[in-house]
Amino acid sequence: MKTKPTYQELEKKIKVLQQKLALKEGEKKFKELFEKSGDAILILENEKFIDCNIATVAMLKYDSKEQFLDVHPSKLSPEIQADGRNSIEKADEMMNIALKNGTHRFEWDHVKSNGEIFPVEVLLTVISSEPEKRIIHTVWHDITVRKKAEQELKESEEKFKAIVETASDWIWEIDKTGKYTYSSPKVLSILGYSEKEIIGKTPFDFMPAGEKERVSKVFDEIIKQNKPIDKVENTNIHKNGKLVVLETSGMPFFDSNNKLLGYRGIDREITEYKKSEQLLKESEERFKAISNSANDGIVLMDNYGKVTFWNYAAEKIFDYKKEEITGKNLHSLLTSEKYRDAQNSGFEIFKKTGKGNAIGKTLELEALRKNGESFPVELSLSAIKIKEKWNAIGLIKDITNRKKGEQSVKESEIRLRESNKTKDKFFSILAHDLISPFNTMLGFSKLLVANFEKYDLQKQKKFLGIINYDLQNTYKLLENLLLWSRAQRGVVEFNPQKENLYLLTIETLSLLKQSAENKLITLINNVSEDVNITVDKNMLLTIMRNLISNAIKFTPKNGRVEIGCRVSPIKTDGRLSQQEGNNLLPLQSIQIYVKDSGIGILKEKQTQLFEISENISTKGTDGESGTGLGLILCKEFVEKHGGKIWVESDIGKGSEFIFTLPE
């Protein structure tokens, strides 16, 4: 039977329970703090992470904490820290310091899952330093913003110091009594005194007596009203006794109660400037007089790309008055868009070095007038340094008339070359293609005349047939030659009218029917009866006659020649339609083709067929001769209609000559 606990035992048990409840409550509060903290909180056990809060996962940009638990801190760090030390070695050292001192605060670089390195302030607090169970409570506070601000502040201070110490002007500060409290090193070169010698003195201590009186009155009036000091000229005595002219500017500064504390400002030495001012003015007047009498435009562009000088000739060339363009960006107003990127990148180099691809050269470019008109100019560029900055000076000549003359000469040369080619072709035809059949006809006619009675009727017919065949070919040649000659002289009438393509095809095929039958060639008309086109009838008949005649010529016996047409859309200026009234109609062309089952044409010869300079006439399958003039004539007549002509052919598979005519 159990005995009842004594009062003391009950009291002891109650205290144990209270302690457990307090511990549990403490753990609950710690857990809430652990999870709700904005800083990353991690637990290290024996130099490896065993737990962390949600903020840690978010800070490192991982999906879950399991991805980086059970790892050494160096695994979540770059290999080398900002101070150049190895992360593994330094991490061990930081944890050892914490274990020794109980806590340790330091800055550290960690790495996010995306590879981004970021700085944190780390606080290590030792929970257990037992050799077998070393537990450290770790807090990371992201100091990216702070470090950036510190760096910006540091850079700002360095920039300010660099500016102050390297400035060509003397920078100073005086208190409300007028005594110097700060002086930049530049004072040594301006007045010959060191910074230490200046501190505690007033500006008037370095002025001649009369100047001191004059300037003190000016300064007193300014200070009474707390006004800025604006370019007050004053004469000072250099340590070596010479007079130095300074230009003083400054701004007042105040305490939190808006009471004047003093002035901060600069002194610029203008001694030499004052001497050279007049000389410069005279020089500028001479330069303006010379440049304004020049026939070429003279333009000066400063280090910022802005126009600073613009002579009278430039006004006439570009139509901008000097007042309109001075101070404006030269490239954006005067240069073509296609040069803009190259000019901008090149100008960045020029600003720093005074060098560039165009410097020291004469170039031909396109420029823009005030109305946006593009025109050619000749530009000569040079670099000139003004106030330690590179400027560009350009001599600009409007070469519009010269380019027109050059273009006219080029066109004349092209016409002359074409004329020479035409002449050469013409003489070639006269010398060979026209003379040759006459020699044949003369030879056979002479034999026929001399031996007419001796020859039987069959032989007489044979000789007459040969003469007749050559006469027909010579007639066709003369017909093409005359047409071609007239076309070259521009006297062929072009009279397009609405015609039925089917009927014109029938007319052409009837003329060539006998030639086809002689070689047992089948002529096929695939043109629909309802196809109407607007063409010059004579020119189209000439084109079809030449193409079909050639097809018969180069097709073996028992072959076939087919003529047909297709309607296809054409593209004009990127459009596939045209407006007619309120309706949008498709732009179409007629494709007419002459297809044969002949011997085909070599690929390398196909592009030469329509060139006047190429002599590629070949014999037909029955030894028929030709000049190649027919295809040249076809090309000219097709192009007269605004169409194109080409050939598609494979050796042994025949050829297809295709030309287009607007519907």
Side-chain angles (χ1 to χ4, degrees):
M1 185 175 175
K2 289 184 179 180
T3 59
K4 290 184 180 180
T6 65
Y7 176 79
Q8 288 80 8
E9 287 174 334
L10 285 172
E11 188 177 28
K12 187 176 181 181
K13 284 182 180 181
I14 290 169
K15 284 183 180 180
V16 169
L17 286 171
Q18 286 176 338
Q19 287 174 354
K20 285 183 178 179
L21 285 172
L23 180 61
K24 190 174 181 180
E25 185 65 26
E27 287 178 350
K28 182 181 177 182
K29 289 181 178 178
F30 173 76
K31 193 67 176 177
E32 288 180 0
L33 179 64
F34 184 78
E35 290 300 340
K36 293 181 179 180
S37 173
D39 289 334
I41 301 176
L42 306 95
I43 305 298
L44 279 164
E45 183 176 328
N46 297 336
E47 291 77 48
K48 289 187 178 181
F49 294 116
I50 62 168
D51 196 8
C52 71
N53 65 351
I54 296 171
T56 308
V57 178
M59 187 179 290
L60 292 174
K61 294 189 182 298
Y62 279 91
D63 297 324
S64 68
K65 62 184 177 181
E66 284 74 18
Q67 291 177 276
F68 55 85
L69 292 183
D70 199 32
V71 299
H72 189 273
S74 63
K75 296 296 183 181
L76 300 178
S77 311
E79 185 179 351
I80 303 298
Q81 287 295 308
D83 60 1
R85 293 189 60 190
N86 181 278
S87 288
I88 297 175
E89 295 174 0
K90 187 173 180 179
D92 288 339
E93 181 185 322
M94 297 298 103
M95 288 186 284
N96 286 332
I97 293 172
L99 288 167
K100 180 181 177 182
N101 299 330
T103 183
H104 184 43
R105 189 187 296 271
F106 57 94
E107 290 182 3
W108 189 263
D109 283 346
H110 275 297
V111 180
K112 297 180 182 179
S113 64
N114 61 8
E116 179 188 347
I117 297 173
F118 69 105
V120 297
E121 183 180 74
V122 180
L123 175 62
L124 301 180
T125 304
V126 177
I127 297 173
S128 172
S129 59
E130 292 297 323
E132 299 302 321
K133 197 168 186 178
R134 300 177 299 280
I135 300 175
I136 301 176
H137 179 273
T138 306
V139 179
W140 295 348
H141 179 65
D142 189 336
I143 57 172
T144 304
V145 175
R146 190 184 83 193
K147 296 298 285 185
K148 184 179 179 182
E150 288 174 357
Q151 182 61 27
E152 288 175 352
L153 179 61
K154 182 181 177 183
E155 289 175 359
S156 177
E157 289 174 347
E158 288 175 351
K159 284 179 184 177
F160 177 74
K161 184 178 179 182
I163 291 169
V164 168
E165 294 188 354
T166 60
S168 58
D169 298 327
W170 169 26
I171 299 173
W172 47 260
E173 180 184 272
I174 58 173
D175 62 20
K176 62 183 179 181
T177 66
K179 292 180 180 179
Y180 288 109
T181 55
Y182 171 79
S183 172
S184 68
K186 189 65 181 177
V187 69
L188 184 64
S189 63
I190 293 178
L191 291 178
Y193 294 96
S194 69
E195 300 157 69
K196 289 182 179 180
E197 291 177 292
I198 291 293
I199 302 301
K201 300 283 198 316
T202 71
F204 311 112
D205 292 333
F206 304 97
M207 297 180 186
E211 186 71 352
K212 178 180 178 180
E213 270 183 46
R214 182 187 72 82
V215 177
S216 63
K217 289 179 182 178
V218 175
F219 278 10
D220 286 344
E221 191 61 32
I222 291 171
I223 292 169
K224 281 179 185 178
Q225 301 178 54
N226 293 339
K227 285 184 177 180
I229 302 169
D230 186 22
K231 296 181 180 179
V232 175
E233 292 185 9
N234 53 94
T235 303
N236 293 258
I237 304 172
H238 192 279
K239 194 173 184 179
N240 63 13
K242 73 174 184 179
L243 295 179
V244 177
V245 181
L246 300 179
E247 182 184 78
T248 302
S249 298
M251 292 293 294
F253 64 97
F254 307 89
D255 63 14
S256 59
N257 296 318
N258 206 32
K259 290 185 178 180
L260 181 69
L261 292 177
Y263 274 78
R264 297 187 182 108
I266 61 170
D267 271 359
R268 176 171 298 166
E269 183 181 359
I270 58 172
T271 309
E272 295 302 319
Y273 170 77
K274 297 298 285 185
K275 291 179 182 178
S276 61
E277 193 176 46
Q278 186 59 34
L279 292 174
L280 179 61
K281 185 178 178 181
E282 292 172 2
S283 176
E284 286 177 349
E285 290 299 326
R286 286 195 297 270
F287 173 73
K288 286 179 182 178
I290 294 169
S291 63
N292 282 330
S293 64
N295 292 322
D296 294 341
I298 301 175
V299 179
L300 186 63
M301 180 179 69
D302 68 13
N303 197 253
Y304 303 100
K306 295 180 179 179
V307 176
T308 56
F309 181 80
W310 187 259
N311 75 337
Y312 178 66
E315 288 186 354
K316 292 197 295 182
I317 292 171
F318 293 97
D319 295 333
Y320 282 104
K321 294 293 183 184
K322 180 177 70 173
E323 295 77 15
E324 293 179 282
I325 201 163
T326 300
K328 302 288 178 62
N329 185 278
L330 183 140
H331 291 150
S332 62
L333 291 179
L334 306 184
T335 62
S336 176
E337 187 68 34
K338 63 183 178 182
Y339 305 127
R340 206 67 55 78
D341 289 342
Q343 285 172 337
N344 289 339
S345 59
F347 185 61
E348 290 302 315
I349 297 171
F350 171 79
K351 286 165 63 174
K352 299 172 184 176
T353 64
K355 296 178 181 178
N357 293 333
I359 299 301
K361 296 178 182 177
T362 298
L363 308 171
E364 290 187 3
L365 303 167
E366 287 182 20
L368 299 175
R369 299 191 203 277
K370 184 179 178 180
N371 62 6
E373 174 194 352
S374 177
F375 69 104
V377 297
E378 183 180 85
L379 171 67
S380 298
L381 274 179
S382 299
I384 181 173
K385 222 170 190 182
I386 300 176
K387 295 182 180 178
E388 299 304 311
K389 290 186 179 291
W390 286 107
N391 289 238
I393 187 165
L395 300 179
I396 303 170
K397 184 191 296 289
D398 184 344
I399 57 172
T400 302
N401 292 333
R402 189 177 84 190
K403 297 302 284 186
K404 285 180 180 178
E406 290 174 357
Q407 184 61 29
S408 178
V409 170
K410 285 180 183 178
E411 290 172 358
S412 296
E413 288 176 351
I414 292 170
R415 287 196 296 271
L416 181 60
R417 282 196 294 270
E418 291 298 320
S419 177
N420 287 336
K421 290 177 185 177
T422 303
K423 180 187 68 177
D424 293 343
K425 186 71 175 179
F426 187 81
F427 286 140
S428 171
I429 293 169
L430 289 177
H432 181 267
D433 299 299
L434 194 58
I435 297 297
S436 181
F438 273 108
N439 287 336
T440 303
M441 289 186 289
L442 286 170
F444 278 104
S445 62
K446 187 176 180 181
L447 285 172
L448 195 60
V449 169
N451 302 292
F452 189 79
E453 291 80 6
K454 295 179 182 180
Y455 295 149
D456 58 21
L457 185 61
Q458 186 177 357
K459 200 161 191 177
Q460 289 173 357
K461 284 184 176 180
K462 179 182 177 181
F463 278 23
L464 286 171
I466 293 170
I467 293 170
N468 180 262
Y469 177 78
D470 280 345
L471 279 171
Q472 286 183 26
N473 285 340
T474 305
Y475 176 79
K476 290 177 185 175
L477 173 60
L478 282 170
E479 187 178 37
N480 278 341
L481 194 61
L482 288 170
L483 271 173
W484 179 52
S485 174
R486 291 172 63 202
Q488 296 306 304
R489 290 181 287 116
V491 296
V492 176
E493 289 187 11
F494 181 62
N495 185 26
Q497 294 183 359
K498 197 164 189 177
E499 302 285 350
N500 183 275
L501 181 60
Y502 175 78
L503 295 178
L504 295 180
T505 304
I506 293 293
E507 182 179 340
T508 305
L509 292 178
S510 65
L511 290 173
L512 299 171
K513 181 179 178 182
Q514 189 59 50
S515 297
E517 288 178 350
N518 290 342
K519 296 180 72 174
L520 304 176
I521 291 172
T522 302
L523 297 179
I524 301 169
N525 181 3
N526 280 333
V527 178
S528 299
E529 295 182 11
D530 59 351
V531 178
N532 295 307
I533 54 175
T534 303
V535 292
D536 183 290
K537 178 180 178 181
N538 292 328
M539 286 189 180
L540 182 58
L541 286 173
T542 300
I543 295 166
M544 293 196 296
R545 187 168 65 248
N546 274 288
L547 293 180
I548 297 172
S549 177
N550 280 350
I552 294 169
K553 176 180 172 183
F554 293 105
T555 299
K557 288 182 178 179
N558 298 308
R560 55 186 280 159
V561 173
E562 174 187 340
I563 182 168
C565 68
R566 295 180 282 262
V567 178
S568 62
I570 59 174
K571 198 171 183 181
T572 305
D573 296 332
R575 297 178 296 109
L576 286 171
S577 59
Q578 63 181 351
Q579 193 78 29
E580 184 176 285
N582 294 322
N583 298 318
L584 200 62
L585 303 175
L587 287 168
Q588 294 182 325
S589 69
I590 294 288
Q591 267 192 11
I592 302 173
Y593 64 88
V594 176
K595 188 175 182 180
D596 63 55
S597 59
I599 58 177
I601 305 167
L602 290 170
K603 294 289 184 186
E604 56 268 25
K605 287 190 176 182
Q606 290 178 22
T607 56
Q608 303 170 357
L609 290 173
F610 305 101
E611 297 295 329
I612 187 70
S613 59
E614 303 293 338
N615 188 8
I616 57 170
S617 177
T618 55
K619 296 287 185 182
T621 55
D622 277 2
E624 302 98 322
S625 61
T627 64
L629 183 61
L631 289 177
I632 295 166
L633 196 59
C634 287
K635 179 175 182 286
E636 291 194 12
F637 284 177
V638 167
E639 289 178 349
K640 187 76 173 175
H641 283 82
K644 293 183 178 180
I645 186 168
W646 68 94
V647 63
E648 296 174 0
S649 179
D650 291 305
I651 293 297
K653 295 183 180 179
S655 303
E656 183 177 3
F657 281 81
I658 308 163
F659 64 95
T660 61
L661 297 173
E663 188 180 20

